[in-house]
Amino acid sequence: MSTLTLTRRRGLAAAGWIGPVVRRLGAGLVVLWVAATAAYVALLLVPGDTVDVLIADGVDTPQRRAQIIAEWGLDRTVPHQYADYLLRLLHGDLGRSYVLQRDVAEILSSQIWPTIRLALTAAAFGVVIALVLALTTAGRRSWTTGLAGFSELTAASIPPFLAGLLLLAVFSFTLGWFPVSGDRGFASLVLPALALGLQIAGTLGQVLREGLERALEEPFAVTARSRGITEWRLVARHALRHALLPAVTLTGWFVGVLLGGAIVVEAVFGRPGLGQITLGAVTGKDMPVVMAVIMLAAAVYVTVSTLVDLAYLAIDPRLRRSR
């Protein structure tokens, strides 16, 4: 193959990525704008005076009211207030909690890492469990496959808070293997991560097994078997790639489970993190914090969705040519 031909092919491959990536980034920006607008509209629609809503359970003094009016531009028209709000967001200014007397960005940054650690560990547990179950039972007709399917259905059906309570009852209260609450090293992270990851493992395991079994019936699998490839190698090296695309589709759902479940799981296990901050903000009517959490969740969802779309393009090159 000549250098010119190789260069041309590389250029075409790169061009195939540009359009989908630009469109996905544009759609992500629109979603973030809609989320920001929805959060701001929610602030305006909350019954009562906007200053009272922002103060919530915080200190109510004339100086504090004047500060809020100046910060949010409440003495200006609504379009000007909305434009100022978007401009502050673009500069990373999430406002100030008048209940906790701290900048919202500082509050979130101080609590986000325990939640990220919990979510990543839960995702790792869920993916590993699902892969092990799917790879060891796909294409096999035995009692182990039925047991794995029943286990996956059970795990997918149990909400994280109930799974957390059951894990606490068995492994903390009865056996005493893990701490009951708090954030004291990896041991205190295992049960919360399992409670959050079991639902992912159950759903992902079912999807992976179905994808693997469909792939094992494709002509390429018959050809590979005729060449003497072992069944394990066929499943792990060839069929798994074909089963990944429907599994990747679930990533957006994973994010929802991790974000929503983390709030409940952190409360059940008494862990620090965004869950505790969110619950406190909702119960204390701390609107600046609530709005910031909405924006953070939207940003995480948009980022993950964009990466998922790019993963589609990497897994199946035909999608690049079709866009």
Side-chain angles (χ1 to χ4, degrees):
M1 184 182 296
S2 67
T3 304
L4 180 61
T5 303
L6 183 60
T7 303
R8 185 175 299 172
R9 288 190 176 182
R10 288 177 178 174
L12 291 174
W17 283 89
I18 294 175
V21 170
V22 170
R23 283 193 291 271
R24 193 62 191 87
L25 290 176
L29 291 175
V30 171
V31 172
L32 287 177
W33 170 72
V34 171
T37 303
Y40 188 76
V41 171
L43 173 64
L44 296 180
L45 294 180
V46 172
D49 181 70
T50 303
V51 177
D52 294 332
V53 171
L54 289 171
I55 290 178
D57 296 331
V59 179
D60 188 357
T61 64
Q63 293 79 8
R64 183 71 66 195
R65 287 181 170 270
Q67 177 189 354
I68 293 174
I69 291 173
E71 181 178 342
W72 288 81
L74 298 179
D75 54 346
R76 308 176 68 183
T77 63
V78 172
H80 280 96
Q81 295 176 32
Y82 174 64
D84 289 341
Y85 166 70
L86 292 181
L87 189 61
R88 289 201 310 273
L89 287 181
L90 289 175
H91 287 85
D93 183 2
L94 299 177
R96 181 176 178 83
S97 168
Y98 303 103
V99 176
L100 300 177
Q101 298 298 306
R102 295 169 60 192
D103 289 338
V104 174
E106 179 186 344
I107 296 171
L108 296 186
S109 63
S110 67
Q111 297 296 322
I112 194 172
W113 292 114
T115 299
I116 290 177
R117 190 163 60 248
L118 171 62
L120 291 179
T121 307
F125 281 171
V127 170
V128 169
I129 294 172
L131 278 173
V132 170
L133 289 176
L135 290 174
T136 55
T137 59
R140 295 174 173 82
R141 297 287 181 255
S142 65
W143 66 270
T144 56
T145 303
L147 179 61
F150 175 77
S151 301
E152 289 164 350
L153 181 61
T154 302
S157 304
I158 298 179
F161 81 90
L162 180 57
L165 293 175
L166 293 174
L167 290 172
L168 277 174
V170 175
F171 295 104
S172 292
F173 300 145
T174 303
L175 299 176
W177 290 356
F178 298 97
V180 175
S181 63
D183 184 16
R184 299 185 297 274
F186 183 74
S188 63
L189 183 62
V190 173
L191 293 186
L194 275 176
L196 194 53
L198 283 176
Q199 196 172 41
I200 292 175
T203 304
L204 180 61
Q206 295 177 75
V207 173
L208 277 176
R209 183 184 298 103
E210 291 177 2
L212 286 171
E213 290 178 345
R214 283 196 301 269
L216 290 173
E217 296 174 357
E218 295 290 332
F220 80 87
V222 178
T223 304
R225 289 191 185 97
S226 67
R227 294 177 178 175
I229 190 173
T230 63
E231 194 69 17
W232 170 253
R233 189 176 181 183
L234 173 62
V235 171
R237 294 193 57 182
H238 300 282
L240 183 59
R241 180 182 179 90
H242 291 262
L244 282 179
L245 198 58
V248 169
T249 307
L250 291 173
T251 306
W253 173 78
F254 289 173
V255 175
V257 170
L258 292 174
L259 289 177
I263 295 176
V264 179
V265 168
E266 286 175 352
V268 170
F269 288 89
R271 291 181 55 83
L274 292 179
Q276 298 283 20
I277 291 296
T278 303
L279 287 176
V282 171
T283 55
K285 300 179 182 179
D286 196 346
M287 281 301 295
V289 176
V290 173
M291 293 166 67
V293 170
I294 292 173
M295 287 303 304
L296 178 61
V300 171
Y301 186 83
V302 166
T303 301
V304 172
S305 298
T306 302
L307 293 176
V308 168
D309 275 3
L310 297 180
Y312 286 153
L313 302 179
I315 294 172
D316 191 348
R318 294 172 299 178
L319 297 175
R320 297 199 293 268
R321 294 191 293 268
S322 63
R323 297 187 179 192

